[in-house]
Amino acid sequence: MPAPSQTVDEARRARLTAIGLMCAAVICFALLDTNAKWLGLHGMDPLLVAFARYGVSVTLVSFLINPWSHPGVLRAKRPWLQFFRSLMLLASTVLNFFALRYLQLAETISIMFAAPFLVALASGPLLGEWPGPRRLMAIGIGFLGVLVVTRPGVGGMHPAALLSVAGCFCYAFYALSTRVLAASDSSETTMVYSGLAGTLALLPVLPFVWTTPQEPLAWAALFATGFFGAVGHWMLILAHRLAPATVLAPFIYSQLVWMVLMGWLVFGQLPDRWTFIGGGIVIASGLYLLYRERVRHVPEEASSARLD
């Protein structure tokens, strides 16, 4: 519902702007993964690439979000949960970077799209938000789509797909903790903790994985991983300030289009039919899950409208 001071046209423009920001954010994430895969194929250790992703991101974000521009930004009300969330994001990133050395871009993102199903399942015991039978059916079909992509036991997918699956679990816990922290800490505080925790956690292993890039393009790709990560996450924050998550979430799936395009343009790879079929099943199930989520909130929105 738009705020009382907001006209219908202003609310519509805000939503369109938010959708544009979301679409731009997923393009940034596709470019991030493209750079990470390119670096991995050119001999860069995924842990070094992950350090660059977080180190550059922290440096860029600090120009906009720091204790001077945002007093108290480092004071988290639930610091241990912030660290847990940040470590889950770091683990998901590292596992994904390792998987990208062997899997196509479209394959990894198709598996990662299963994260909302894990979140929906875990929300019952952890948050008391139990999914109904229709949502459970959508979750089950979504996991079936992941099995179509990975095809375990039939020799269709590289064992590195297990890394993507593990990364998907980590991302689900990251998403759950983000939802919990939204009630206590600002998005700026959460973003700062994400970058700092990832950088500090990777710093001790840096001497063991460091390889000095021998060409300017490699330096540029390392910088680009952090740049696209920082810009993408900042756009996500701005988008969610302008429109509710239920409006924005469907546009996350447009990332598959960009991953297929980047895989073809940069690496000359096109997904096989099973990746397209499985990815389609995952996306369709995810969209239905979002639809059911919106339907569940319609009575509440209607009640609010009558009170206005």
Side-chain angles (χ1 to χ4, degrees):
M1 293 294 295
S5 59
Q6 228 181 2
T7 67
V8 174
D9 286 341
E10 288 173 339
R12 185 180 294 113
R13 282 196 295 270
R15 289 198 174 197
L16 289 174
T17 301
I19 290 170
L21 287 168
M22 174 62 76
C23 292
V26 299
I27 293 174
C28 286
F29 296 143
L31 291 171
L32 188 161
D33 281 358
T34 301
N35 278 279
K37 181 175 177 64
W38 186 88
L39 287 165
L41 293 177
H42 285 76
M44 287 287 176
D45 192 289
L47 291 173
L48 172 57
V49 178
F51 178 81
R53 181 257 180 273
Y54 282 96
V56 172
S57 179
V58 165
T59 304
L60 293 175
V61 169
S62 65
F63 286 106
L64 296 174
I65 306 175
N66 53 64
W68 295 274
S69 62
H70 294 74
V73 70
L74 296 177
R75 289 198 297 269
K77 294 181 180 179
R78 306 182 72 173
W80 292 110
L81 185 58
Q82 283 283 6
F83 280 116
F84 172 79
R85 172 193 173 277
S86 300
L87 290 177
M88 287 296 98
L89 178 60
L90 172 63
S92 176
T93 301
V94 170
L95 289 167
N96 184 52
F97 284 2
F98 272 101
L100 281 170
R101 301 182 82 175
Y102 309 101
L103 304 181
Q104 294 184 17
L105 293 168
E107 292 170 339
T108 58
I109 195 61
S110 295
I111 296 171
M112 287 299 295
F113 280 161
F117 308 134
L118 295 172
V119 170
L121 283 177
S123 293
L126 295 180
L127 303 178
E129 301 174 1
W130 296 96
R134 294 180 183 178
R135 297 176 74 207
L136 284 173
M137 184 178 297
I139 292 169
I141 295 174
F143 284 132
L144 177 64
V146 175
L147 291 177
V148 172
V149 173
T150 57
R151 304 188 298 287
V154 298
M157 178 69 74
H158 194 281
L162 294 176
L163 296 175
S164 284
V165 172
C168 183
F169 274 88
C170 292
Y171 192 86
F173 282 110
Y174 153 78
L176 281 167
S177 53
T178 300
R179 288 177 58 182
V180 175
L181 285 167
S184 59
D185 292 337
S186 68
S187 55
E188 289 81 7
T189 295
T190 299
M191 188 171 184
V192 168
Y193 267 83
S194 298
L196 281 178
T199 304
L200 293 176
L202 288 169
L203 194 58
V205 304
L206 188 60
F208 302 99
V209 300
W210 176 261
T211 301
T212 303
Q214 299 301 310
E215 54 187 47
L217 187 58
W219 282 109
L222 281 172
F223 176 81
T225 58
F227 174 81
F228 288 124
V231 173
H233 279 285
W234 187 244
M235 286 181 173
L236 279 183
I237 291 174
L238 295 178
H240 282 87
R241 285 177 177 172
L242 295 173
T246 51
V247 171
L248 299 175
F251 296 93
I252 293 173
Y253 294 111
S254 65
Q255 187 172 349
L256 180 59
V257 176
W258 297 109
M259 294 292 247
V260 171
L261 183 61
M262 290 295 104
W264 175 56
L265 291 176
V266 180
F267 306 108
Q269 298 175 333
L270 282 175
D272 60 21
R273 60 175 178 173
W274 296 111
T275 301
F276 278 118
I277 293 172
I281 293 172
V282 171
I283 291 174
S285 301
L287 290 174
Y288 181 76
L289 197 66
L290 289 169
Y291 165 73
R292 291 305 308 169
E293 186 69 23
R294 294 187 69 176
V295 167
R296 288 172 64 236
H297 289 89
V298 165
E300 299 174 13
E301 295 176 359
S303 298
S304 300
R306 284 193 294 269
L307 292 173
D308 287 342

